Amino acid sequence: MKKIVIVFFVLLLSYSSLCAQVRPKKPRDLESDIKLLRSSRVEFDNGKYGEALRLANEAKIARREIVAWEADTLAYALKPCEVQKEVQRANGVLSDVLAVLKKREDYDAVEIVERYVGKKTSAFFNNSADALVSYVSTRRVFPEADRLIGCIYFLEGEYSLAKQYLLNAWQSASLLDVPDERCDILYALSDIALIEKDFDGYEKDLLLIVSGDSLLKNKSFERAFMLIVQNGDAGSMEKFFTLFRSEDYTVLDAYFKLASYYGERGFADKALKAFALGTLTAFTKMYNTVKARDPEFEYQNLESLFTEIARFSDIVDWASERQLWKGFSDFADCVQKAGNDRFAFDLYTAMAKSAPDDYWKKKAALALSDKFNR
C-alpha cells in the first residue's frame, strides 16, 4: 500500500511539474484586445451597457492572454546560454539584441520586438532590451477597458464599483495609448467625488488634471497675467487677451470647475486665477479654430472675435455645450468682485455687444445695467 501511495505522489509531482512548464499558446489574433474594446465602445455609445460591459471584460481577458504569450516568448527567446552570451556582448542594446534574434530566426520574438519598437520607438525604451521586456510584462492590465467599465458602472449608479475600476485605470495610466485619456479618468473620478460630497477628493482630482499644464508651473507667466487682471488700468482686458495664450485644452473644464469650487468656498484669489486660466484657454481654442477656418482673420479685440465666431454655428454650439459663455460671464463677475471694475466693465461690454449666445449676451447687458448703472 505504501508503495502505491509513493508511486501516486511521484506521478502527481511529475504531473504538476509538467503543468507548471506548460507555456501560453499564441493567440489567434494579436489585436483581439483592441478590437473587443472598440466593439465595446460602439455598444456603449449606442446605450447597450450590458453588452459593452461584457465586451470590455473580454478585452481585458484577451489582453492578459496576449501579454502572457508575449512575455513568455521573449523570456524563452533570451533564455538559452548562447543567446545570453551574445546579449551580454551587445550590452543589452535593443537593436543588437534584435539582430541576434533575427540571426536565430526566432520569428515570434522578432515580431514582438519590432511591433513594440514600431509603436513606441527605440528611444522610449532607451534602446534597452531589458526595458522593453519589462514594459511588455506590465501591459497585462488594460486601463482603457477599466476606464470604460468604470464609466458603465457610473451611468448605472454603481459609484463604488465605478470608482474601483477608474482607480485601477488611473494606477495604470502610464500604459494608456492616448496619454490625454488620463484626464478623462480624473474627470470621471472628480464627478464621483462630487456626488459623494468628497470635496477634498474633488479638488485633488481637478488639480491633478491641471498639474500637466505648463503655464500653471510658470510663475513669471502667472505674475504677468494676474497683474493685468488686477491692476484696473484702462485697456487691461484687451491686453490680457492680446498678450496671452493657453493651448492645453484638456484642462479647460477643470479650470472652470476649480474656479466655481473656490468661489463657492470664499477662496477669492484662487477662484480669480482659475477663472483667468480657464477663460484664456477657452479664448485660445476659439481664436485658433476661427483662424484655421479663416486664415485672413486678424484679432483686433474680443468683440470682433465674438462677431467672427457667430459665422460658424458649430463653434457657437460647441462653446455653448461646454458652457464657455458662462465661463466668460463668471470671469467678469469674479474680476468685478476682486475690485477691477474697469476690466469687468469692458468684458461685460464685449459680451453684451457681440456674444453669439443670446442668453449670455442679454445677461451681460443686464450686468452692465445693474452693476455699473450705464
Side-chain angles (χ1 to χ4, degrees):
M1 184 66 180
K2 287 183 179 180
K3 289 183 179 179
I4 294 174
V5 171
I6 291 172
V7 170
F8 173 79
F9 275 105
V10 169
L11 291 172
L12 182 61
L13 288 171
S14 299
Y15 177 77
S16 298
S17 177
L18 286 171
C19 287
Q21 295 174 11
V22 173
R23 297 176 59 193
K25 291 183 179 179
K26 182 177 182 179
R28 292 183 179 180
D29 186 353
L30 295 176
E31 294 185 347
S32 60
D33 55 341
I34 300 298
K35 292 176 181 177
L36 284 164
L37 180 64
R38 287 173 184 162
S39 297
S40 179
R41 284 173 171 164
V42 170
E43 298 300 332
F44 178 84
D45 291 340
N46 291 332
K48 298 179 180 178
Y49 302 132
E51 183 64 9
L53 182 62
R54 182 185 69 81
L55 289 167
N57 278 311
E58 287 189 10
K60 290 183 64 174
I61 294 170
R63 168 63 63 88
R64 286 196 296 269
E65 291 176 348
I66 291 168
V67 173
W69 172 78
E70 290 174 339
D72 176 80
T73 299
L74 290 175
Y76 268 76
L78 299 171
K79 187 176 181 180
C81 292
E82 57 270 25
V83 175
Q84 287 289 325
K85 291 177 181 178
E86 293 191 62
V87 170
Q88 288 175 4
R89 280 196 293 271
N91 290 320
V93 174
L94 182 55
S95 52
D96 293 340
V97 172
L98 179 59
V100 171
L101 295 174
K102 286 181 177 180
K103 180 180 177 182
R104 290 178 59 82
E105 298 183 349
D106 201 328
Y107 300 119
D108 280 338
V110 168
E111 186 278 328
I112 293 169
V113 172
E114 289 184 335
R115 175 155 44 85
Y116 277 95
V117 169
K119 185 176 182 180
K120 307 296 291 187
T121 77
S122 295
F124 178 83
F125 303 109
N126 294 316
N127 204 19
S128 165
D130 285 344
L132 184 144
V133 172
S134 177
Y135 177 79
V136 170
S137 298
T138 65
R139 292 189 72 253
R140 284 184 171 85
V141 293
F142 201 172
E144 289 88 349
D146 280 329
R147 175 189 162 239
L148 185 56
I149 293 171
C151 290
I152 293 169
Y153 280 127
F154 177 84
L155 291 174
E156 295 291 335
E158 298 284 352
Y159 301 126
S160 179
L161 280 171
K163 185 176 181 179
Q164 175 186 325
Y165 278 95
L166 288 166
L167 285 173
N168 288 343
W170 174 247
Q171 289 166 3
S172 307
S174 61
L175 298 174
L176 289 165
D177 286 336
V178 181
D180 281 351
E181 284 191 26
R182 64 184 292 278
C183 292
D184 297 326
I185 296 168
L186 289 170
Y187 275 122
L189 284 168
S190 73
D191 288 340
I192 295 173
L194 189 60
I195 289 171
E196 294 181 338
K197 299 185 186 227
D198 176 11
F199 299 117
D200 288 341
Y202 179 70
E203 180 188 15
K204 178 183 175 182
D205 292 332
L206 294 176
L207 286 174
L208 279 170
I209 294 171
V210 302
S211 66
D213 185 4
S214 59
L215 293 183
L216 193 65
K217 304 171 186 175
N218 189 330
K219 295 303 179 183
S220 297
F221 176 86
E222 179 186 334
R223 284 192 296 270
F225 80 73
M226 288 302 289
L227 180 62
I228 290 175
V229 169
Q230 295 172 321
N231 66 18
D233 292 346
S236 60
M237 188 275 287
E238 282 300 343
K239 186 181 291 186
F240 175 77
F241 289 111
T242 301
L243 292 180
F244 304 114
R245 295 290 183 271
S246 176
E247 298 187 338
D248 186 351
Y249 307 132
T250 60
V251 303
L252 178 57
D253 291 340
Y255 276 134
F256 282 133
K257 288 181 177 182
L258 279 169
S260 297
Y261 172 80
Y262 289 138
E264 290 169 1
R265 279 153 184 77
F267 300 120
D269 290 344
K270 288 184 177 182
L272 183 60
K273 177 182 173 183
F275 270 129
L277 286 167
T279 305
L280 185 61
T281 306
F283 166 84
T284 305
K285 175 65 173 177
M286 291 190 288
Y287 168 78
N288 285 344
T289 304
V290 166
K291 188 69 175 175
R293 303 275 183 91
D294 182 4
E296 295 182 1
F297 172 76
E298 293 296 334
Y299 180 78
Q300 297 175 350
N301 51 48
L302 193 60
E303 184 181 334
S304 68
L305 176 63
F306 286 165
T307 300
E308 186 72 9
I309 287 171
R311 295 176 49 206
F312 306 101
S313 60
D314 59 327
I315 301 178
V316 176
D317 291 343
W318 171 81
S320 296
E321 289 169 4
R322 299 291 292 272
Q323 297 189 314
L324 300 190
W325 309 121
K326 180 181 185 301
F328 276 92
S329 180
D330 288 346
F331 180 38
D333 290 345
C334 191
V335 172
Q336 197 266 334
K337 289 177 184 176
N340 191 343
D341 288 348
R342 183 76 254 177
F343 191 112
F345 176 80
D346 289 345
L347 183 49
Y348 283 130
T349 300
M351 293 189 68
K353 286 184 177 180
S354 57
D357 187 298
D358 284 340
Y359 174 82
W360 293 104
K361 186 175 185 178
K362 292 176 182 176
K363 194 173 188 302
L366 185 61
L368 286 171
S369 175
D370 289 347
K371 298 180 180 183
F372 299 94
N373 295 316
R374 299 185 184 186

